[in-house]
């Protein structure tokens, strides 16, 4: 089912209460997933057979005798939680401006913290960034994002005042008509260049601040490059600005500080992807936003994949 048709069906969902009233039973949840995941008819996930019979809540393939559920090979694969709670979690994560942490999901849904964390990870990993190169005028900047360690700067045993960065993640941001954020090992040119080459159209015009790493764009990339020198008090210089990407940094840092409180390096890109997905869909209505999410849910994510991710 395409996103526009799905959004048309879900247009009456404006609140979480609307969602709960619509999905009053588990059967309605499964019927909804069937329409989303199999708009052209169901096929066996094992052999691809089209002779499939419904047997209660499961389906049976006549060709290979395989039994499967409508949730197979999706983020709901083998879940023991009611689908209503999954849908409520999706609503909270996609429609809360700064996201929703596992503690909040645990309280609101009445599930354990471990289940809420696992659920949040799967939903967040179903919010991919668009990998198409950016065109037109692209603002580029880098920032450190992560939790606060207030005691480090005043610790008398601390010999290096820059250790406060040890719990933060370097992130490179590019923005034009949409936002792209990528976690990088450090803010050096050897880490920045591959991302710029991948996500900048050769004809894009780059605006950046006067950071020394960005000075190499003129020499090593084909893009036109203009600088807004913040050290000279310039924030808009003849139309050259980085204010849009600075606004994105502000929202991301408020999300980490106010909701998640820290951003583990191991899962940093997951938190960033979740933020970028909401940012790029911020102009959609709640029903359109959740309709844009569900097609991405048809991917199997295991606990082992989550734990081994870096």
């Amino acid at each position: 089912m395409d996103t526009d048709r799905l959004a048309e069906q879900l247009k009456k969902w404006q609140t979480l209460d609307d969602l709960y009233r619509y999905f009053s039973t588990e059967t309605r949840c499964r019927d909804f997933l069937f329409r989303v995941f199999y708009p052209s008819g169901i096929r066996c996930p094992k052999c691809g057979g089209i002779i499939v019979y419904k047997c209660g809540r499961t389906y049976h393939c006549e060709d290979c005798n395989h039994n499967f559920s409508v949730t197979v090979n999706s983020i709901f694969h083998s879940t023991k939680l009611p689908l209503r709670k999954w849908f409520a979690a999706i609503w909270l994560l996609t429609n809360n401006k700064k996201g929703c942490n596992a503690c909040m999901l645990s309280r609101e849904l009445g599930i354990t913290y471990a289940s809420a964390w696992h659920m949040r990870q799967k939903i967040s990993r179903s919010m991919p960034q668009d990998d198409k190169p950016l065109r037109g005028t692209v603002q580029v900047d880098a920032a450190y994002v992560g939790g606060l360690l207030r005691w480090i700067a005043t610790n008398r045993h601390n010999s290096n005042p820059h250790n406060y960065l040890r719990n933060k993640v370097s992130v490179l941001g590019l923005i034009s008509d949409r936002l792209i954020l990528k976690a990088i090992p450090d803010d050096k040119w050897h880490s920045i260049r591959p991302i710029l080459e991948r996500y900048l159209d050769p004809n894009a015009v780059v605006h950046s601040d006067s950071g020394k790493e960005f000075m190499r764009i003129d020499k090593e990339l084909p893009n036109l490059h203009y600088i807004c020198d913040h050290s000279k008090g310039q924030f808009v210089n003849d139309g050259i600005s980085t204010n849009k990407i600075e606004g994105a940094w502000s929202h991301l840092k408020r999300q980490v500080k106010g909701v998640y409180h820290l951003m583990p390096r191991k899962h940093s890109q997951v938190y960033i992807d979740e933020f970028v997905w909401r940012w790029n869909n911020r102009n959609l209505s709640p029903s359109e936003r959740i309709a844009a999410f569900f097609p991405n849910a048809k991917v199997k994510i295991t606990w082992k994949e989550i734990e081994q991710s870096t």
Side-chain angles (χ1 to χ4, degrees):
M1 184 182 297
D2 61 76
T3 302
D4 292 337
R5 287 180 57 197
L6 183 57
E8 182 66 22
Q9 291 189 12
L10 308 184
K11 63 182 180 182
K12 52 189 174 184
W13 296 5
Q14 296 300 321
T15 65
L16 185 58
D17 183 59
D18 294 337
L19 180 143
Y20 267 124
R21 284 188 292 175
Y22 185 86
F23 293 115
S24 55
T25 65
E26 192 75 0
T27 300
R28 294 197 70 175
C29 296
R30 290 179 177 273
D31 290 344
F32 171 77
L33 288 182
F34 180 89
R35 296 196 302 272
V36 173
F37 291 162
Y38 303 102
S40 302
I42 194 165
R43 286 179 173 269
C44 175
K46 185 176 181 180
C47 70
I50 60 175
I51 306 177
V52 177
Y53 303 103
K54 187 173 183 181
C55 305
R57 287 189 174 185
T58 62
Y59 296 86
H60 176 78
C61 176
E62 182 71 15
D63 294 336
C64 66
N65 289 325
H66 179 60
N67 294 322
F68 61 96
S69 169
V70 71
T71 60
V72 68
N73 294 334
S74 71
I75 63 173
F76 314 108
H77 187 93
S78 298
T79 182
K80 302 299 188 294
L81 295 173
L83 289 175
R84 292 182 75 208
K85 294 193 176 185
W86 274 96
F87 290 1
I90 291 170
W91 179 276
L92 292 171
L93 276 166
T94 56
N95 288 299
N96 282 340
K97 187 175 182 179
K98 293 182 174 63
C100 180
N101 61 32
C103 287
M104 180 179 176
L105 286 181
S106 175
R107 291 193 304 268
E108 296 294 328
L109 303 181
I111 58 179
T112 64
Y113 174 81
S115 295
W117 187 88
H118 189 195
M119 177 186 288
R120 205 202 71 80
Q121 283 285 325
K122 285 192 173 184
I123 295 172
S124 297
R125 290 167 189 270
S126 302
M127 297 179 174
Q129 296 191 43
D130 189 343
D131 286 340
K132 295 179 181 177
L134 297 175
R135 299 180 178 181
T137 300
V138 181
Q139 296 181 15
V140 176
D141 196 16
Y144 291 105
V145 180
L148 297 178
L149 292 179
R150 298 178 184 277
W151 58 271
I152 285 185
T154 57
N155 188 339
R156 61 177 181 165
H157 301 295
N158 178 32
S159 59
N160 184 0
H162 296 291
N163 275 345
Y164 75 94
L165 296 177
R166 73 185 187 187
N167 71 313
K168 296 184 182 292
V169 178
S170 297
V171 184
L172 181 67
L174 304 87
I175 189 169
S176 60
D177 58 330
R178 69 182 192 279
L179 176 66
I180 292 177
L181 299 181
K182 295 294 180 181
I184 53 179
D186 52 55
D187 59 353
K188 305 301 182 184
W189 179 247
H190 62 82
S191 298
I192 293 174
R193 177 174 178 171
I195 297 177
L196 294 182
E197 291 178 333
R198 171 66 181 82
Y199 295 104
L200 277 179
D201 185 91
N203 297 319
V205 178
V206 178
H207 291 183
S208 74
D209 59 23
S210 56
K212 64 179 182 178
E213 301 301 335
F214 298 131
M215 297 299 100
R216 302 178 67 170
I217 293 177
D218 295 320
K219 300 178 181 179
E220 302 189 30
L221 296 180
N223 304 87
L224 290 176
H225 179 214
Y226 298 98
I227 298 170
C228 184
D229 194 343
H230 294 170
S231 64
K232 296 180 180 179
Q234 296 177 351
F235 295 95
V236 179
N237 180 21
D238 292 332
I240 302 167
S241 167
T242 59
N243 290 342
K244 197 172 182 180
I245 188 66
E246 295 287 354
W249 293 137
S250 177
H251 281 278
L252 176 59
K253 291 178 179 181
R254 296 287 76 72
Q255 170 184 291
V256 174
K257 182 179 179 181
V259 177
Y260 297 116
H261 308 305
L262 56 88
M263 191 167 67
R265 290 180 181 274
K266 183 176 182 179
H267 303 294
S268 59
Q269 191 61 54
V270 177
Y271 287 83
I272 292 169
D273 288 346
E274 174 194 330
F275 168 78
V276 171
W277 190 91
R278 276 196 303 271
W279 175 278
N280 289 334
N281 291 283
R282 66 191 183 281
N283 294 325
L284 301 180
S285 67
S287 58
E288 290 172 336
R289 198 175 296 115
I290 200 170
F293 170 82
F294 268 107
N296 298 328
K298 192 68 170 69
V299 56
K300 181 181 177 181
I301 302 173
T302 65
W303 179 269
K304 185 176 181 179
E305 290 173 347
I306 294 174
E307 285 297 304
Q308 292 182 348
S309 64
T310 55

